[in-house]
Structures are given as structure tokens and as C-alpha cells.
Amino acid sequence: MPDTECGGPMTNFYIRHHALLTDAVSALKSREFWTPFPEIPSGRFYGESAREDGQAAFDRLIGHRFALPDHPETDRVGMEESPWGLPLKINYPTADASQLIEASEAVAGEWAEASPEVRVGVLLEALVRLNAMSFLMGHAVMHTTGQAFPMAFQAGGPHSQDRGLEAVAAAWVEMNATVREATWEKPQGKLASIILEKRWKLVPRGLALAIGCNTFPTWNGYPGIFASLATGNTVIVKPHPAAILPLALTVRVLREVLVEAELPADVVLLAADEPGQEMTQELVDSGAFSLIDYTGSSVFGAWLRKHAGKAQVYTEETGVNSITITGCRDFKGMCNNIAFSLSLYSGQMCTSPQNIYIPSTGIDSDEGPKSFDDVAKGIAFAVDRLLSDGERASGICGTIANPATLARVAVSRGIGRIVRDSGETGIGRSATPLLLALDGEEEGAEQEECFGPVSFFIPCESASDAIARASSIARQKGAITAALYATDQDLITEAEDAFAHAGVNLSVNLTGNIFVNQSAAFSDFHVTGANPSGNACLTDTAFVASRFRRVMIRWPKVA
Amino acid sequence: MPDTECGGPMTNFYIRHHALLTDAVSALKSREFWTPFPEIPSGRFYGESAREDGQAAFDRLIGHRFALPDHPETDRVGMEESPWGLPLKINYPTADASQLIEASEAVAGEWAEASPEVRVGVLLEALVRLNAMSFLMGHAVMHTTGQAFPMAFQAGGPHSQDRGLEAVAAAWVEMNATVREATWEKPQGKLASIILEKRWKLVPRGLALAIGCNTFPTWNGYPGIFASLATGNTVIVKPHPAAILPLALTVRVLREVLVEAELPADVVLLAADEPGQEMTQELVDSGAFSLIDYTGSSVFGAWLRKHAGKAQVYTEETGVNSITITGCRDFKGMCNNIAFSLSLYSGQMCTSPQNIYIPSTGIDSDEGPKSFDDVAKGIAFAVDRLLSDGERASGICGTIANPATLARVAVSRGIGRIVRDSGETGIGRSATPLLLALDGEEEGAEQEECFGPVSFFIPCESASDAIARASSIARQKGAITAALYATDQDLITEAEDAFAHAGVNLSVNLTGNIFVNQSAAFSDFHVTGANPSGNACLTDTAFVASRFRRVMIRWPKVA
């Protein structure tokens, strides 16, 4: 790492968090388990009063004007509704797209001129502060996404902070991939060498737009936001109108740290809006953005690509995730593991499995041969057992973020043979997994993403056919996760090749407390970029390297 | 670097060239002068008989069928004409776009499965062989591009090999940026840790198309070709119909090395065609490509972006390069340096200066005050002196690659006041620099690229105005190079900021044997990607990182 002038207040954050950055950079490369942000919602890690403080801070937000000091404001908006039934009634400052863009452009130069050390220092400080308020963030995520609190805390708090930190570390590595100054001495035989001094400036790409999603506003939002900021771009954060609060809190923290670092708060702006009045298209159509990060449907993704103009677009989109079952050594463990994956947040994760491919002739297991129906029923039974208690079920399934998902569950009942019907947990707007068996002979409903707690058991001619069908749909329609249960090493190798070819990460024989849905920062790359489920890989070099450019000045060395 | 199994014949090339790769990787980061490929066309470096052998090898090609063993072939094409007047009459195998695509797809899997070590080894061996045949390549480049031999040798030979090696090294660094295997152990408090084994496969993006240009087929072509190959993509090389031979020789060497490595030759294919019958659009419209590298006009660049579909497009396009003169400490040295830059290959370099901005009130110099006209005449006089001898002039200016450039010179005479008229060298289809003074009050001809030996002196209100106009046009229309002459450090700083903002590399106060046109691999990034002159920076991480993806398989560690 380069030498840094450490005197001013602006670089203190960099010095304060230098070890954190160094550790993050090491973890990026080694891909071993690492996190500085404890995932357990306990006073042991977050301070004895953290739980109560977080609850109290959340309670104070409800029904009030959300304060974003000095933010452009011509109006107040906010129609968030908690799927848990809690009235929120929070409103946020907003302004016209053109005003937000103007405000962002006005401070772009100052942010670009801040050194990478200063920028990265600000972002690390913000992440550490966000971590300290993880209980508040947990409530904010819970009541906008509908996740149960334990998941909202983990995924919306520390795991999101991990993803943000990962993006900062990746950007840092790339900004330092080559020297910033060099002396270039070219021999000229017997003549004096030609000596040039060279200096490179890191130039940001331009204005960045981060378009948030409803279900994981922070986890999916932080990588783009933090990567764009680290590389010197100003960012307008456009949350999903149903999940503003988590990103508004994030924007507030970032703006506070910026001001403390004597930098303009408007480096990060919030573009809050309401359902039916979204300003996303107006923002994009302005042509003002050079970077756009987006998580959501492929339909809007296609619109975005068409209208993005000069902007580089990073996406996570629709996909069809699968589980392929060809055999197992722990039938109960497999069924329990799959049951949890299907139930967690009622299938509303971009990593939730949808299609379950099983040979129609059944599989071998530690409990002897299992027919296609035995496997389907084994999983259904495991779901029933997992969700038998309403409160526990609610703690796993959470609620349904979007009423359209409930409607989709209702319609889906007619698609196939019901192996397990969807029910309610009894708490909030909920729906437990609907498990359907298809005849599998013709391509049907399983060929498209059916977002929410709907899964299909699909009979296949053989284990190889199951692998071929699962990997083929991933290649065609996109997939972020794939799981395989197999006892035959040749089959595993066959699957490894097939899913690699389809560009989807594969988890094999998971049982116990680790699930195909889980993607750990610093180790798992999330989305490969190699199939239609998205072009943005969290967080590889390609995700950060195009967010800035190097521009050189060179001059003859004066002897 | 990872451990490698070194037994098989396939990895021998990697072992053989390991030190070369290691040195290239170091140079990439340090940006100091480095090259393994001597730029001087001398037997001292290339062997006593190299000059004669190269000439003889070239002579044997003339008038013959170019051999590309086992290459798809349904027809023979070739209409290359030497701007030096030498009849070439070489024909090349060709096939339909669909046949070439099919042949490329047929071997894509085998190339993808070859390890990075194997692939990189093949490419390093090919580069070393290409280096050994630099005299032959010099003749091939000379008689297709119209460059004079010394430049054709340097730019088409060792400097191109440098750029190819740079791309291989950058790809290698990125392929090894993270481990390929890891054990991930997540603590579970008092319970046993969760331990997953993870393995990542590097998956190529897909078929690559490299669209060559007329003037620097190898220098501009190698980075994309070698970067795509290194990262596991098969490549179809589509040369400019007027400059097939240099890339045909390159494809032949690559295919020979591939076969020796027991890999399919069709990993690299040649898509030769003829003027008016180009197959570029048909290739692109096939939708078969995932990567497209292109050097050429912005007009075709725009078409390409529109029709590229899923393909990632890397471009170098049109631009308007400038020199800004605000003062100097060595008037003669400055004029001589600029004269050479304007004359070299008659302004047909993507780095050749076009617009020369000078305060209308003149400048200060070591020879006292110089008026606008003094500066213009000083440069014109230096060009006259440099080109006074026909043979020497020909050795610098070479010839004009495309007859359209000659026509452009003729038309341009009417645009402004002629300070120096274009003439001929007397050898081949030539044109020496046309230097025109504009009134500069309104935006005129200088606002667009005028490809070839035409430059404009533009009077400006002040030094700051000159910098502002030069950087502004770079930002709007694109520019690959900018030069500044200044004695005032504040002005230099002002220019550094202005040109950085315009995304153009700036050379300050060059005199002697180093020129703004020159871009040295391993030190100078060529094209920043930050203005319309192209999005592909040779060679930064962004140029290689998106050419492949990482796909993981993970499974519980068996105790």
C-alpha cells in the first residue's frame, strides 16, 4: 500500500481502519471464512443495551419525518407498509430527478479529487457505524422486506456490511493494482537513456445510480453503492418504494461520515419515491449516469440495458434455481436441509431453490431405495415438521413482501399435483411452501421463475437426465444457485462440468446447518455473470475495475 | 503462482517461459521500462542471418497460396495491395461465417478445459516464435499498412509482441487473483465448525471475435486476441481486407503451437475476406460471439455496439489528438519533436496529433517571444528540414495506407491558410504533412478527426483557453493523446486536471527522441476508456477481467 500523508482529519478514518482493510484484502484472496461483523444478534457482541437501543431507535422513526440534514428536498414521500402489519408512516425527503442529478454533479469533482485513502476511510467508518446499529437495521429490514427478525438482522446487518466491505476491499486492491507514479528509463545504447516521469490519476467513471430491491435492499444494494463510492463516483440511491428505510438509514450514516470528513454530504443522495410514481425511468432516461447497479426482474433489466446509453450496467436478475437429487447417504439430513432452504423467507431469496429434479425411477439412500414420491414426500414431511409450530414457522418463513407473490401461490396450485399445500404461519402476511409434482414429460411451469414459496418436483429419465435438465435451464433462463445430492463420484464430476458450463455455483450434499441459499462474502462469489441471472459478480474484479479509469501525465525527468 | 503438474508435454511451454511471465507480471505493476523483445532490427539481437532470412521468407509468400494447414476452407480470397507498389497476390483460405463459427464452437470445450498454465504456455511460446520472425513480420506489416520498414518492424514486431505479452500477463494475474481452492471453516460457538471445501473453475465467456484494422493490424490486434485466448475463449480473427498477412502469419504460428501442444488448431481461425465483401457484419449478426475486440472508426463502432447483442465489446475508435503550446524552454527542440510526431507514418497513427492550439498573442521561449505565426512556421520549417531528403522522408512518412486518405488531404487544402503544403516523398503512395492555420474563432474542421497527415494551427485567446479547447474536444470527440508545452507549473497543473477530466493521457515538454505518439507496453496504458476514443484500455484489469468467470463447486468436508 502506498505511503499516505496522515496528518489531516480527512485521512484519520483510513488510519483508524487500516487493519480492517488489510484483513479484508487478505480474505478476498484466500476465500477462507472471515468477517469482522458478528452475525449473532447478541449483546455479547453488540453491547448489553444494543437490543433495547435498536428497538427504541426504530420506535422513534415510526410515524415521523425521516431526517436527512441538508438533503435536497422539495417534497416528502413514503408509502412503506410492513408485511408484519405494523404501521410505519415514515416519510422521506425527495426532489425531482433533475435536482438530484444536479446536486450529485455539483459535488462530483470534490469526491473525485479526494484520495483513495480518504474515500476508503470514509466508507470503512460508515460500515463500522452501520454495524453498531445492526439491531435498528434488523427492524428496518424486517418491516420493509417482511423477513423474520433473526434473518433481517443477519442478512440486512452484518452480512450486508460484509458485502459492502468486500466491495471496498476489491476496489482498493484494484486502485492499487499498479503504481501511481513511476520513472521510466529506456536505454539508448551508447547514448544517454530517455527518462520519463509518469504519474497516474484515478478518474471516476461518472455519476452512479444504485437501484434497490424490495427483498434485500442492503445486501444487494451495498456492493454497488460502496464500489462506486470507493472508486470516486457520486451515487444516487434509488430504493424500492416498499423498502426505503434500510437504504435511507445507510445514506444518512454515509452523509454523516462525509460531513465529519469535511466532504460534501451530497456525494450520496436518496431518491425516495412511491409505488406507481417511481422515478427510476426518469433518472435513467436523463442519460446522466455512467454506472447503474440493479437488482430485480429481467423484464426491467432488459429495459434498463436498452435505455442505459453510455452507462455500464451491473445486474442481478431473474433465474431458476434447482436441486438435483440422484442419491444420498443421509436421507433425513437431506430432507431437513432442503426443507429449510425452501422455507427460509418463503422462497423469496434470489438463491432459493425452485425446481427439484429426481429420477422417476427413484434413488438409493441410506434408508434403502426411495421412489420419486418417497423423496417428494420426505421433503414435504420435513417441511411440515420444521413449520409445525406457528411461531417457529414465522421465524423461518417471515412474511410475504409483495401481495403479488401471494396471488402467484394461489394460481400455482393448479399447475401440478399438490404434494404439500401452502399454508399460513398465523403471523403477518405469510405463505409456507407449496410443493407440486409435475409430470415432467413436457416443459412446463418449471421453465420460468415462479418467485416465492413454490417448488416443483420434476421426474427425470435418469440421474444424468436430471443433471442435464437442471443445468440446461440454468444456462437458458439463468440461475444463481444449484444443489446436487449424489453418492457417485462420476455423477458429481458430470454435474460439476454441466453446472460450470451453465455458469452456476453448485453445492453438493449439504446437510446440517449450511444451506444452498447461503452466500458468504469474502468466499462465495454471488452470481457468476456467466448466465442470464445477472452480469454482476459480488465481488470479483470485473465488478470494480470498470468503475474508474487511469489517466497519465508524463514528462522528461530533469537531470 | 499455483503449483502445477509439470509432467506432460502440454505444460512444457509454461515451464519454459515461466521466468518471462514472472518478469512481465512485475513490469505490469511497476510500470517501469521493460521488454524481452529487442526493438532494433539488427542481427545482433535476432541472429546474423535474420535480416536475409526474413526477406527470403517474405519473398516466398508473394504470389502464392498462404498455407494454413487444416483450416476450414471453401474458397480462396485476398486483394491486398502494397502502398509501396509491390505486387502481393497472396490468397488465403476462407469459409462461410457459419462454418468458421461452427469450427470455433467445436473446439471451445477443449480449450476451456485446458488449464490456465497450458493456455498461457502456448501463447508465450507463440509470442517468442513471432518475435524470432520479426523481420518477416516487418515486411508483412510494411506492405499491408504502408509503414516504412523500420517502423513496421518495431511496431508490427517487437512492440506488438510486447502488447500481446502484456495482455497474457494481465490475464494471468487476474486468473490468479483469488485462490482456485479453499477450505472454508465457519465457527459455530461450542458446536463443531461447519467446514466446506470449495473449488473454482475459470469459465471462458464464449466465442471471441477480433476485428483488425488496416494501419496496425498486430499492435492493435494482439491485446484482444491474446487476452481472449489466455482466458479460455476461442478466437476468430477477422483482419482488415487490406492487411490480412500480418494476422494470417500470427494465426499460423498460434495454430502450429497449439498442435504441438496437442490442442486443436481451430482454437484460432482466420476470417479472411475482400474489400466490399467483408464478412464482419455477418459474423456479428450471427449472435455467436461473447467478446468482440475492434479498432476502427466510431461509425462502425456505433453499429457494432448496436448489433453486438450479448457480446462485451472492447473498442478503440476515432479521436482528435492535440498539442497545446503555451511556452517552451527549447523552441528548436520542441519544433523538431512535433515535426517528427506529425510526419511519422504521415499522421496515420491513432496517437498522431491533429490540432495544435496556440495563444494568438504568441508564446515565450528560450529564443524570446514567438508570435502565433512564428510557432506555426517554426514547426513547418522543422518538418521541411526533417523531410528534405526523399529517402529519409520515406523512411519516416512511409506511404498512405488508404487512397481515401490522399483524397482527404486534397480536400483539406481549402479548409484553412496553408502554412506547409503536403508533398510526396517520391517513393510509393505518399503524402507529407499538410499544415493549415485556422482563424479559430468559430468551431470548424478541427472539431472532427481528419485522419491522415493534416494538422491545424488554432489561435486561442490565452494559454488557459488553449488548454480548455484542447481538453474539451478530447472530452467530447475523444482523444488518445495530448501534448503540452509549458514553462509555468501552474499551467501544467491546470492542464493535468483538465486532461485528466477529459480522460486523455498527457505528455509534457517532450523534446529529443521520445514522442507523444509513442505508447510503451507495460508502462503506458493505451486509451484510457474515459472518453469516446474507446472503452478498451491496453492493458488494464478491466480489459481482461470480464473475459472469463469463476464458477464454484462446494461440498462438506468429510472428517
Side-chain angles (χ1 to χ4, degrees), chain B residues 259-281:
Chain B
V259 169
E260 288 177 37
E262 298 172 19
L263 287 159
D266 286 353
V267 164
V268 192
L269 292 164
L270 185 73
D273 56 19
E274 297 183 349
Q277 308 267 315
E278 289 92 346
M279 67 166 98
T280 322
Q281 299 195 354

Side-chain angles (χ1 to χ4, degrees), chain B residues 10-88:
Chain B
M10 307 230 295
T11 51
N12 278 347
F13 292 135
Y14 172 73
I15 296 164
R16 185 184 299 173
H17 301 298
H18 189 265
L20 177 65
L21 181 61
T22 305
D23 289 350
V25 166
S26 300
L28 262 192
K29 184 164 178 78
S30 77
R31 314 309 292 178
E32 291 173 2
F33 175 82
W34 181 77
T35 175
F37 302 129
E39 68 177 9
I40 301 171
S42 158
R44 193 151 46 93
F45 300 109
Y46 286 90
E48 266 185 40
S49 63
R51 184 179 297 271
E52 291 69 32
D53 293 348
Q55 182 72 61
F58 179 66
D59 291 343
R60 280 194 301 273
L61 293 172
I62 293 177
H64 286 92
R65 296 163 61 87
F66 188 88
L68 267 185
D70 300 320
H71 192 280
E73 176 171 350
T74 54
D75 201 357
R76 285 262 155 184
V77 292
M79 296 277 283
E80 291 163 302
E81 290 183 355
S82 171
W84 295 95
L86 182 78
L88 293 178

Side-chain angles (χ1 to χ4, degrees), chain A residues 104-119:
Chain A
S104 193
E105 282 171 343
V107 299
E110 197 171 341
W111 185 238
E113 283 300 319
S115 70
E117 287 76 11
V118 167
R119 294 194 302 251

Side-chain angles (χ1 to χ4, degrees), chain A residues 53-84:
Chain A
D53 294 348
Q55 181 72 61
F58 179 66
D59 291 345
R60 281 195 300 274
L61 293 173
I62 293 178
H64 287 92
R65 296 163 61 87
F66 188 89
L68 267 184
D70 301 320
H71 193 280
E73 176 171 351
T74 53
D75 201 357
R76 285 262 155 184
V77 292
M79 296 276 282
E80 291 164 303
E81 291 183 353
S82 170
W84 295 96

Side-chain angles (χ1 to χ4, degrees), chain B residues 118-130:
Chain B
V118 167
R119 294 194 302 249
V120 162
V122 163
L123 299 176
L124 295 173
E125 174 67 17
L127 286 165
V128 167
R129 291 191 195 183
L130 284 163

Side-chain angles (χ1 to χ4, degrees), chain B residues 5 78 91 129 151 180 248 250 262 275 300 302-303 344 346 397:
Chain B
E5 291 177 20
N91 64 60
R129 291 191 195 183
M151 183 180 184
R180 295 190 206 156
T250 305
E262 298 172 19
F300 191 75
W303 181 89
L344 188 62
S346 289
C397 294

